[in-house]
Amino acid sequence: MIYLTGENVFTFNSGTEFSQFERLDLFKRQGKTAKLLLRNYNRLLAKDIATHKLDPTTVLNMYDYFQEAVGLQRKKCPLRLLKSMALKDHHIVGIDNNTSELRYQGNLIGKIAVMPETVGLVGDITYFDRMGHTIFKEYWDWRGFRSMVETYHPDGSIATQQFLKPTGEIALEITHMYLDGKILPTSYKLIAYRGKDYVFDTQDQLYTFFLNEINALEPGVFISDRRTLDNCVLNVINAKQKLAYIHSVPFVDDKKPQKGILPAYRTALTVGNFDQVIFPTKAEANTVLQVFESKLNVAVAPDSWVKVATSPKVLPKQKVLIYVGRIAEDKNITDLLKCFKAMYLQDATLRFKLQGYFSNTDYQTKLQQLVSELHLQDAVEFLPYQNEPKLYQDATLFLNASPSEGFGMNMLESMAHGVPIVTYAIDYTENNLVKNDINGYNVKNKTPKLLAKKALELLGDSENYHKLSKGALKTATKYDAKAFSAAWDLVVSE
Protein backbone atom coordinates (compact mmCIF):
# COMPACT_ATOMS: atom_id res chain seq x y z
CA MET A 1 0.00 0.00 0.00
CA ILE A 2 1.15 3.53 -0.80
CA TYR A 3 -0.09 6.26 1.52
CA LEU A 4 -0.05 9.89 0.41
CA THR A 5 -0.46 12.23 3.36
CA GLY A 6 -2.30 15.51 2.93
CA GLU A 7 -4.20 18.20 4.75
CA ASN A 8 -7.39 18.22 2.69
CA VAL A 9 -9.09 18.06 -0.67
CA PHE A 10 -9.82 21.76 -0.84
CA THR A 11 -12.42 23.55 -2.88
CA PHE A 12 -9.44 25.52 -4.22
CA ASN A 13 -6.37 23.30 -4.40
CA SER A 14 -2.72 24.05 -4.98
CA GLY A 15 -0.30 22.19 -7.22
CA THR A 16 0.55 19.91 -4.28
CA GLU A 17 -2.98 18.52 -4.12
CA PHE A 18 -3.20 18.18 -7.91
CA SER A 19 0.07 16.25 -7.83
CA GLN A 20 -1.45 13.87 -5.30
CA PHE A 21 -4.57 13.45 -7.43
CA GLU A 22 -2.42 12.59 -10.46
CA ARG A 23 -0.43 10.01 -8.51
CA LEU A 24 -3.56 8.40 -7.08
CA ASP A 25 -4.97 8.06 -10.57
CA LEU A 26 -1.85 6.59 -12.10
CA PHE A 27 -1.05 4.23 -9.22
CA LYS A 28 -4.58 2.85 -9.65
CA ARG A 29 -4.01 2.45 -13.41
CA GLN A 30 -0.80 0.55 -12.62
CA GLY A 31 -2.65 -1.83 -10.34
CA LYS A 32 -0.98 -0.43 -7.23
CA THR A 33 -3.02 0.20 -4.11
CA ALA A 34 -2.80 3.76 -2.84
CA LYS A 35 -4.77 6.02 -0.51
CA LEU A 36 -4.73 9.72 0.26
CA LEU A 37 -4.86 10.15 4.06
CA LEU A 38 -6.28 13.55 5.02
CA ARG A 39 -5.89 15.39 8.31
CA ASN A 40 -8.39 18.28 8.25
CA TYR A 41 -12.09 18.16 9.10
CA ASN A 42 -14.16 18.84 5.97
CA ARG A 43 -17.92 18.31 6.06
CA LEU A 44 -18.07 19.00 2.30
CA LEU A 45 -15.37 16.46 1.47
CA ALA A 46 -17.71 14.07 -0.37
CA LYS A 47 -18.73 16.91 -2.69
CA ASP A 48 -15.13 18.04 -3.24
CA ILE A 49 -14.04 14.48 -4.03
CA ALA A 50 -16.76 14.23 -6.67
CA THR A 51 -15.88 17.66 -8.10
CA HIS A 52 -12.28 16.56 -8.67
CA LYS A 53 -13.41 13.18 -10.04
CA LEU A 54 -11.49 11.22 -7.42
CA ASP A 55 -12.26 7.63 -6.56
CA PRO A 56 -13.80 7.97 -3.07
CA THR A 57 -12.37 4.59 -2.06
CA THR A 58 -8.85 6.04 -2.44
CA VAL A 59 -9.43 9.00 -0.08
CA LEU A 60 -9.60 8.53 3.69
CA ASN A 61 -10.18 11.44 6.05
CA MET A 62 -9.12 11.17 9.70
CA TYR A 63 -12.35 12.65 11.06
CA ASP A 64 -14.46 10.39 8.82
CA TYR A 65 -12.50 7.43 10.13
CA PHE A 66 -13.08 8.22 13.79
CA GLN A 67 -16.70 9.27 13.14
CA GLU A 68 -17.31 5.89 11.47
CA ALA A 69 -18.59 7.64 8.36
CA VAL A 70 -16.24 6.07 5.81
CA GLY A 71 -18.15 4.96 2.72
CA LEU A 72 -21.37 6.56 3.90
CA GLN A 73 -23.79 7.14 1.02
CA ARG A 74 -25.39 10.54 0.64
CA LYS A 75 -28.93 11.01 1.91
CA LYS A 76 -30.39 14.45 1.24
CA CYS A 77 -31.65 16.19 4.35
CA PRO A 78 -34.24 18.94 3.62
CA LEU A 79 -34.29 21.56 6.37
CA ARG A 80 -38.09 21.36 6.61
CA LEU A 81 -38.01 17.62 7.32
CA LEU A 82 -35.52 17.57 10.20
CA LYS A 83 -36.34 14.72 12.58
CA SER A 84 -34.47 16.53 15.36
CA MET A 85 -36.92 19.43 15.31
CA ALA A 86 -40.54 19.39 16.53
CA LEU A 87 -42.08 21.45 13.75
CA LYS A 88 -45.42 21.59 15.59
CA ASP A 89 -43.74 23.93 18.08
CA HIS A 90 -40.92 25.37 15.97
CA HIS A 91 -41.61 27.34 12.83
CA ILE A 92 -39.23 27.79 9.91
CA VAL A 93 -39.59 31.14 8.16
CA GLY A 94 -37.81 31.50 4.82
CA ILE A 95 -35.77 34.71 4.45
CA ASP A 96 -34.09 34.04 1.09
CA ASN A 97 -32.73 31.10 -0.88
CA ASN A 98 -29.82 30.68 1.53
CA THR A 99 -31.25 31.44 4.96
CA SER A 100 -34.28 30.65 7.08
CA GLU A 101 -35.22 31.75 10.57
CA LEU A 102 -36.18 29.31 13.30
CA ARG A 103 -38.90 30.65 15.63
CA TYR A 104 -40.52 29.33 18.80
CA GLN A 105 -43.71 30.99 20.07
CA GLY A 106 -42.91 33.94 17.81
CA ASN A 107 -39.36 34.42 19.17
CA LEU A 108 -36.26 34.06 17.03
CA ILE A 109 -34.25 31.17 18.45
CA GLY A 110 -32.05 30.28 15.52
CA LYS A 111 -31.04 30.60 11.88
CA ILE A 112 -30.71 27.82 9.34
CA ALA A 113 -28.21 28.16 6.51
CA VAL A 114 -28.82 26.13 3.35
CA MET A 115 -26.08 23.70 2.33
CA PRO A 116 -23.89 25.33 -0.35
CA GLU A 117 -24.84 24.46 -3.95
CA THR A 118 -28.16 22.91 -2.91
CA VAL A 119 -31.80 23.93 -2.72
CA GLY A 120 -33.45 23.58 0.67
CA LEU A 121 -30.96 21.16 2.25
CA VAL A 122 -29.74 21.93 5.75
CA GLY A 123 -26.17 23.21 6.01
CA ASP A 124 -25.86 24.51 9.55
CA ILE A 125 -28.15 25.73 12.35
CA THR A 126 -27.17 28.52 14.77
CA TYR A 127 -29.11 28.76 18.04
CA PHE A 128 -29.51 31.93 20.14
CA ASP A 129 -30.41 32.68 23.75
CA ARG A 130 -33.06 35.25 24.72
CA MET A 131 -30.48 38.04 24.43
CA GLY A 132 -29.56 37.05 20.89
CA HIS A 133 -26.19 35.55 21.81
CA THR A 134 -25.06 32.44 19.93
CA ILE A 135 -25.10 29.49 22.31
CA PHE A 136 -24.34 26.59 19.97
CA LYS A 137 -24.20 25.67 16.31
CA GLU A 138 -24.82 22.42 14.44
CA TYR A 139 -22.99 21.59 11.23
CA TRP A 140 -24.33 19.06 8.73
CA ASP A 141 -22.21 16.89 6.49
CA TRP A 142 -22.80 16.93 2.71
CA ARG A 143 -23.96 13.32 3.05
CA GLY A 144 -26.87 14.35 5.25
CA PHE A 145 -26.01 13.78 8.91
CA ARG A 146 -25.31 16.13 11.81
CA SER A 147 -21.55 16.03 11.86
CA MET A 148 -20.32 18.58 14.39
CA VAL A 149 -21.68 20.75 17.21
CA GLU A 150 -19.96 23.87 18.57
CA THR A 151 -20.49 25.65 21.87
CA TYR A 152 -19.13 29.09 22.72
CA HIS A 153 -17.46 31.12 25.45
CA PRO A 154 -19.28 34.28 26.63
CA ASP A 155 -17.10 36.39 24.30
CA GLY A 156 -18.32 34.39 21.28
CA SER A 157 -15.17 32.34 20.74
CA ILE A 158 -15.37 28.55 20.36
CA ALA A 159 -15.46 26.57 23.61
CA THR A 160 -15.97 22.98 22.43
CA GLN A 161 -16.43 21.07 19.20
CA GLN A 162 -18.06 17.65 19.27
CA PHE A 163 -17.72 15.48 16.17
CA LEU A 164 -20.54 13.01 15.80
CA LYS A 165 -21.06 9.62 14.25
CA PRO A 166 -24.02 9.21 11.87
CA THR A 167 -25.79 7.55 14.81
CA GLY A 168 -25.44 10.76 16.84
CA GLU A 169 -22.84 9.38 19.28
CA ILE A 170 -19.86 11.59 20.09
CA ALA A 171 -16.65 10.33 18.48
CA LEU A 172 -14.26 13.18 19.23
CA GLU A 173 -14.31 16.33 21.34
CA ILE A 174 -12.00 19.34 21.01
CA THR A 175 -11.70 21.79 23.90
CA HIS A 176 -10.69 25.41 23.26
CA MET A 177 -9.25 27.51 26.08
CA TYR A 178 -7.20 30.64 26.62
CA LEU A 179 -3.52 30.09 25.87
CA ASP A 180 -1.17 33.09 25.95
CA GLY A 181 -4.14 35.40 25.65
CA LYS A 182 -5.71 33.58 22.69
CA ILE A 183 -8.47 31.01 22.46
CA LEU A 184 -6.85 27.90 20.97
CA PRO A 185 -7.62 24.17 20.80
CA THR A 186 -5.90 22.64 23.83
CA SER A 187 -7.28 19.10 23.99
CA TYR A 188 -8.40 16.48 21.45
CA LYS A 189 -10.32 13.68 23.16
CA LEU A 190 -11.06 10.54 21.18
CA ILE A 191 -14.03 8.94 22.91
CA ALA A 192 -14.59 5.19 23.27
CA TYR A 193 -12.34 4.35 20.35
CA ARG A 194 -12.07 0.58 20.43
CA GLY A 195 -13.26 0.70 24.02
CA LYS A 196 -10.81 3.36 25.25
CA ASP A 197 -10.56 7.14 25.51
CA TYR A 198 -7.44 8.88 24.18
CA VAL A 199 -6.39 12.49 24.79
CA PHE A 200 -4.01 14.46 22.56
CA ASP A 201 -2.62 17.98 22.87
CA THR A 202 -2.63 18.78 19.15
CA GLN A 203 -4.35 17.78 15.93
CA ASP A 204 -1.00 16.56 14.58
CA GLN A 205 -0.67 14.14 17.49
CA LEU A 206 -4.13 12.83 16.69
CA TYR A 207 -3.20 12.57 13.00
CA THR A 208 -0.03 10.63 13.88
CA PHE A 209 -2.17 8.24 15.94
CA PHE A 210 -4.49 7.88 12.94
CA LEU A 211 -1.57 7.13 10.58
CA ASN A 212 -0.29 4.48 12.94
CA GLU A 213 -3.73 2.89 13.17
CA ILE A 214 -3.95 2.71 9.37
CA ASN A 215 -0.41 1.37 9.05
CA ALA A 216 -1.12 -1.29 11.68
CA LEU A 217 -4.03 -2.52 9.57
CA GLU A 218 -1.97 -2.57 6.38
CA PRO A 219 1.70 -1.53 6.50
CA GLY A 220 2.80 0.65 3.62
CA VAL A 221 4.95 3.38 2.11
CA PHE A 222 4.24 6.90 3.41
CA ILE A 223 4.85 9.99 1.28
CA SER A 224 4.81 13.40 2.95
CA ASP A 225 3.86 16.09 0.43
CA ARG A 226 3.35 18.95 2.87
CA ARG A 227 6.00 20.21 5.25
CA THR A 228 3.32 20.67 7.92
CA LEU A 229 2.96 16.87 8.01
CA ASP A 230 6.62 15.81 7.94
CA ASN A 231 6.88 15.06 11.67
CA CYS A 232 3.61 13.13 11.61
CA VAL A 233 4.95 10.82 8.90
CA LEU A 234 8.31 10.47 10.66
CA ASN A 235 6.48 9.22 13.77
CA VAL A 236 4.74 6.37 11.94
CA ILE A 237 5.86 3.06 13.45
CA ASN A 238 7.08 0.26 11.16
CA ALA A 239 6.33 1.98 7.85
CA LYS A 240 7.88 0.23 4.86
CA GLN A 241 9.30 3.54 3.63
CA LYS A 242 9.08 7.17 4.65
CA LEU A 243 9.48 9.57 1.74
CA ALA A 244 9.33 13.37 1.48
CA TYR A 245 8.40 15.09 -1.78
CA ILE A 246 9.69 18.65 -2.33
CA HIS A 247 7.25 20.37 -4.70
CA SER A 248 8.67 23.89 -4.62
CA VAL A 249 11.98 25.70 -4.17
CA PRO A 250 13.11 25.37 -0.51
CA PHE A 251 15.68 28.17 -0.37
CA VAL A 252 15.41 31.42 1.60
CA ASP A 253 16.62 33.24 -1.53
CA ASP A 254 15.83 31.49 -4.81
CA LYS A 255 18.73 33.28 -6.53
CA LYS A 256 21.22 32.56 -3.74
CA PRO A 257 20.67 29.04 -2.37
CA GLN A 258 23.75 29.35 -0.17
CA LYS A 259 21.81 31.73 2.10
CA GLY A 260 20.03 28.71 3.52
CA ILE A 261 16.89 26.64 3.55
CA LEU A 262 13.48 27.90 4.63
CA PRO A 263 12.63 26.75 8.19
CA ALA A 264 9.63 24.73 6.98
CA TYR A 265 11.95 22.47 4.94
CA ARG A 266 14.54 21.69 7.61
CA THR A 267 12.86 18.51 8.83
CA ALA A 268 12.52 17.10 5.32
CA LEU A 269 16.07 18.04 4.33
CA THR A 270 17.81 16.77 7.47
CA VAL A 271 19.96 13.74 6.75
CA GLY A 272 18.57 10.56 8.27
CA ASN A 273 14.98 11.70 8.74
CA PHE A 274 13.42 10.30 5.58
CA ASP A 275 14.47 7.21 3.66
CA GLN A 276 14.46 9.33 0.50
CA VAL A 277 13.78 12.94 -0.41
CA ILE A 278 12.22 13.29 -3.85
CA PHE A 279 12.64 16.32 -6.12
CA PRO A 280 10.81 17.09 -9.39
CA THR A 281 14.08 17.91 -11.19
CA LYS A 282 17.64 16.64 -10.99
CA ALA A 283 18.90 20.22 -11.02
CA GLU A 284 17.13 21.09 -7.78
CA ALA A 285 18.32 17.89 -6.10
CA ASN A 286 21.91 18.65 -7.16
CA THR A 287 21.70 22.19 -5.82
CA VAL A 288 20.67 20.93 -2.40
CA LEU A 289 23.42 18.32 -2.37
CA GLN A 290 26.17 20.60 -3.63
CA VAL A 291 25.43 23.87 -1.87
CA PHE A 292 24.85 22.28 1.51
CA GLU A 293 27.34 19.44 1.10
CA SER A 294 24.50 17.16 2.04
CA LYS A 295 24.48 13.37 2.18
CA LEU A 296 20.73 13.17 1.70
CA ASN A 297 19.43 10.11 -0.07
CA VAL A 298 17.71 11.87 -2.97
CA ALA A 299 15.58 10.71 -5.87
CA VAL A 300 14.01 12.44 -8.86
CA ALA A 301 10.44 11.81 -9.99
CA PRO A 302 7.89 14.08 -11.70
CA ASP A 303 5.07 15.47 -9.59
CA SER A 304 2.54 15.13 -12.39
CA TRP A 305 1.86 13.40 -15.67
CA VAL A 306 -0.07 14.43 -18.76
CA LYS A 307 -2.08 13.01 -21.63
CA VAL A 308 -0.44 14.29 -24.80
CA ALA A 309 -2.40 15.58 -27.79
CA THR A 310 -1.73 13.95 -31.14
CA SER A 311 -1.54 17.00 -33.41
CA PRO A 312 0.52 20.19 -33.12
CA LYS A 313 -1.16 23.56 -33.39
CA VAL A 314 -1.23 25.89 -36.37
CA LEU A 315 -1.08 29.61 -35.63
CA PRO A 316 -4.74 30.77 -35.67
CA LYS A 317 -6.16 34.11 -36.77
CA GLN A 318 -7.70 34.73 -33.33
CA LYS A 319 -4.83 34.45 -30.89
CA VAL A 320 -5.67 33.66 -27.27
CA LEU A 321 -3.02 33.93 -24.58
CA ILE A 322 -3.55 32.09 -21.31
CA TYR A 323 -2.29 31.75 -17.76
CA VAL A 324 -3.56 28.92 -15.55
CA GLY A 325 -2.76 28.59 -11.85
CA ARG A 326 -3.02 30.43 -8.57
CA ILE A 327 -3.71 34.11 -9.12
CA ALA A 328 -1.49 35.38 -6.33
CA GLU A 329 1.21 37.95 -5.57
CA ASP A 330 4.00 35.38 -5.75
CA LYS A 331 2.94 34.47 -9.30
CA ASN A 332 3.61 38.06 -10.44
CA ILE A 333 0.30 38.46 -12.28
CA THR A 334 0.77 42.24 -12.53
CA ASP A 335 3.72 41.68 -14.88
CA LEU A 336 1.57 39.42 -17.04
CA LEU A 337 -1.07 42.14 -17.39
CA LYS A 338 1.56 44.76 -18.21
CA CYS A 339 3.09 42.36 -20.73
CA PHE A 340 -0.26 41.84 -22.38
CA LYS A 341 -0.86 45.61 -22.50
CA ALA A 342 2.35 46.02 -24.49
CA MET A 343 1.21 43.26 -26.86
CA TYR A 344 -2.31 44.65 -27.13
CA LEU A 345 -0.97 48.01 -28.26
CA GLN A 346 0.58 46.19 -31.22
CA ASP A 347 -2.39 43.91 -31.93
CA ALA A 348 -5.81 44.79 -30.53
CA THR A 349 -7.28 41.45 -31.67
CA LEU A 350 -5.35 39.57 -28.97
CA ARG A 351 -7.20 38.14 -25.99
CA PHE A 352 -5.84 37.07 -22.59
CA LYS A 353 -7.57 34.55 -20.31
CA LEU A 354 -6.40 33.90 -16.76
CA GLN A 355 -7.90 30.90 -15.02
CA GLY A 356 -7.49 30.07 -11.36
CA TYR A 357 -8.47 31.27 -7.93
CA PHE A 358 -7.44 34.53 -6.30
CA SER A 359 -5.25 34.29 -3.21
CA ASN A 360 -7.43 36.91 -1.51
CA THR A 361 -10.07 39.51 -2.32
CA ASP A 362 -7.65 42.42 -1.91
CA TYR A 363 -5.42 41.03 -4.65
CA GLN A 364 -8.45 40.37 -6.83
CA THR A 365 -9.50 44.01 -6.46
CA LYS A 366 -5.94 45.18 -7.19
CA LEU A 367 -5.77 43.19 -10.44
CA GLN A 368 -9.23 44.24 -11.57
CA GLN A 369 -8.27 47.87 -10.98
CA LEU A 370 -5.07 47.36 -12.97
CA VAL A 371 -7.06 45.89 -15.87
CA SER A 372 -9.24 48.98 -15.78
CA GLU A 373 -6.28 51.36 -15.60
CA LEU A 374 -4.70 49.62 -18.60
CA HIS A 375 -8.02 49.82 -20.49
CA LEU A 376 -8.04 46.07 -21.07
CA GLN A 377 -11.58 45.28 -19.89
CA ASP A 378 -12.62 44.03 -23.33
CA ALA A 379 -9.51 41.91 -23.87
CA VAL A 380 -8.74 40.34 -20.46
CA GLU A 381 -10.94 37.73 -18.79
CA PHE A 382 -10.56 36.11 -15.37
CA LEU A 383 -12.07 32.63 -15.46
CA PRO A 384 -13.20 30.67 -12.40
CA TYR A 385 -11.09 27.89 -11.00
CA GLN A 386 -11.94 24.58 -12.67
CA ASN A 387 -10.39 21.77 -14.65
CA GLU A 388 -11.24 22.88 -18.19
CA PRO A 389 -9.24 21.21 -21.01
CA LYS A 390 -11.01 23.37 -23.61
CA LEU A 391 -9.09 26.40 -22.38
CA TYR A 392 -5.83 24.72 -23.40
CA GLN A 393 -7.33 23.42 -26.62
CA ASP A 394 -8.32 26.93 -27.70
CA ALA A 395 -5.13 28.59 -26.43
CA THR A 396 -2.37 29.94 -28.65
CA LEU A 397 0.35 30.76 -26.12
CA PHE A 398 1.00 30.36 -22.39
CA LEU A 399 2.52 33.33 -20.52
CA ASN A 400 4.32 33.01 -17.19
CA ALA A 401 6.03 35.66 -15.06
CA SER A 402 6.43 33.71 -11.82
CA PRO A 403 9.87 34.30 -10.26
CA SER A 404 10.12 30.78 -8.87
CA GLU A 405 8.82 27.31 -9.72
CA GLY A 406 9.83 23.90 -8.47
CA PHE A 407 8.74 22.43 -11.78
CA GLY A 408 5.82 24.16 -13.55
CA MET A 409 2.84 21.79 -13.80
CA ASN A 410 0.71 24.41 -15.53
CA MET A 411 3.29 24.90 -18.27
CA LEU A 412 3.62 21.14 -18.75
CA GLU A 413 -0.16 20.85 -19.12
CA SER A 414 -0.07 23.55 -21.79
CA MET A 415 2.67 21.78 -23.71
CA ALA A 416 0.66 18.56 -23.60
CA HIS A 417 -1.91 20.42 -25.71
CA GLY A 418 0.75 21.74 -28.07
CA VAL A 419 0.75 25.24 -26.59
CA PRO A 420 4.22 26.88 -26.61
CA ILE A 421 5.46 28.80 -23.56
CA VAL A 422 6.95 32.26 -23.15
CA THR A 423 8.18 32.68 -19.58
CA TYR A 424 10.62 34.51 -17.39
CA ALA A 425 13.77 32.41 -17.09
CA ILE A 426 13.43 30.43 -13.86
CA ASP A 427 15.80 28.01 -12.15
CA TYR A 428 14.58 24.40 -12.45
CA THR A 429 12.16 25.30 -15.25
CA GLU A 430 14.59 26.77 -17.77
CA ASN A 431 16.13 23.94 -19.82
CA ASN A 432 14.49 21.28 -17.62
CA LEU A 433 11.05 22.02 -19.03
CA VAL A 434 11.00 25.14 -21.20
CA LYS A 435 13.75 25.10 -23.83
CA ASN A 436 14.54 27.98 -26.15
CA ASP A 437 13.67 27.40 -29.81
CA ILE A 438 12.30 23.95 -28.97
CA ASN A 439 9.02 24.46 -27.11
CA GLY A 440 9.07 28.14 -26.16
CA TYR A 441 11.32 30.86 -24.80
CA ASN A 442 12.88 31.86 -21.49
CA VAL A 443 13.28 35.63 -21.08
CA LYS A 444 16.35 36.30 -18.94
CA ASN A 445 15.89 40.06 -18.50
CA LYS A 446 12.65 39.83 -16.57
CA THR A 447 10.57 42.80 -17.67
CA PRO A 448 7.01 42.86 -19.05
CA LYS A 449 8.15 44.65 -22.22
CA LEU A 450 10.76 42.02 -23.07
CA LEU A 451 8.32 39.22 -22.29
CA ALA A 452 5.85 40.92 -24.65
CA LYS A 453 8.49 41.39 -27.32
CA LYS A 454 9.41 37.71 -27.37
CA ALA A 455 5.75 36.65 -27.38
CA LEU A 456 4.96 38.96 -30.30
CA GLU A 457 7.93 37.64 -32.26
CA LEU A 458 6.62 34.11 -31.83
CA LEU A 459 3.06 35.04 -32.77
CA GLY A 460 4.36 36.76 -35.89
CA ASP A 461 6.09 33.67 -37.29
CA SER A 462 3.66 30.89 -38.21
CA GLU A 463 6.39 28.46 -39.28
CA ASN A 464 8.33 28.84 -36.03
CA TYR A 465 5.09 28.63 -34.02
CA HIS A 466 4.21 25.29 -35.60
CA LYS A 467 7.73 24.02 -34.90
CA LEU A 468 7.51 25.02 -31.22
CA SER A 469 4.08 23.41 -30.91
CA LYS A 470 5.60 20.15 -32.16
CA GLY A 471 8.44 20.59 -29.68
CA ALA A 472 5.96 21.17 -26.85
CA LEU A 473 4.23 17.87 -27.59
CA LYS A 474 7.57 16.07 -27.79
CA THR A 475 8.62 17.49 -24.43
CA ALA A 476 5.31 16.51 -22.87
CA THR A 477 5.76 12.87 -23.91
CA LYS A 478 8.67 12.72 -21.46
CA TYR A 479 6.07 13.19 -18.74
CA ASP A 480 3.35 10.87 -19.97
CA ALA A 481 1.93 7.98 -17.97
CA LYS A 482 4.64 5.55 -19.07
CA ALA A 483 7.50 7.87 -18.13
CA PHE A 484 5.83 8.82 -14.86
CA SER A 485 5.36 5.17 -13.90
CA ALA A 486 8.95 4.26 -14.71
CA ALA A 487 10.31 7.10 -12.53
CA TRP A 488 8.11 6.26 -9.56
CA ASP A 489 8.83 2.53 -9.81
CA LEU A 490 12.45 3.40 -8.98
CA VAL A 491 11.37 5.30 -5.87
CA VAL A 492 8.54 3.33 -4.29
CA SER A 493 9.07 -0.25 -3.17
CA GLU A 494 5.76 -1.65 -1.95
Side-chain angles (χ1 to χ4, degrees), residues 24-87:
L24 275 180
D25 183 26
L26 197 60
F27 287 152
K28 182 180 178 181
R29 291 167 183 252
Q30 291 177 303
K32 295 179 178 178
T33 52
K35 284 187 183 294
L36 175 57
L37 305 180
L38 302 175
R39 181 192 64 183
N40 297 5
Y41 172 69
N42 182 359
R43 65 194 180 103
L44 303 179
L45 180 61
K47 177 181 76 70
D48 293 333
I49 286 173
T51 298
H52 294 291
K53 299 178 182 179
L54 300 175
D55 178 352
T57 65
T58 65
V59 181
L60 181 59
N61 176 271
M62 174 178 74
Y63 285 85
D64 264 11
Y65 178 79
F66 291 128
Q67 290 176 267
E68 298 179 7
V70 176
L72 187 70
Q73 296 301 306
R74 188 182 184 205
K75 183 179 180 180
K76 294 182 179 181
C77 188
L79 60 89
R80 293 186 177 275
L81 297 177
L82 287 174
K83 294 180 180 180
S84 60
M85 196 174 297
L87 294 181

Side-chain angles (χ1 to χ4, degrees), residues 127-144:
Y127 292 90
F128 310 116
D129 62 16
R130 291 183 179 181
M131 302 299 293
H133 301 128
T134 301
I135 50 176
F136 70 96
K137 189 172 183 178
E138 301 173 329
Y139 292 88
W140 295 73
D141 188 278
W142 177 260
R143 294 164 294 180

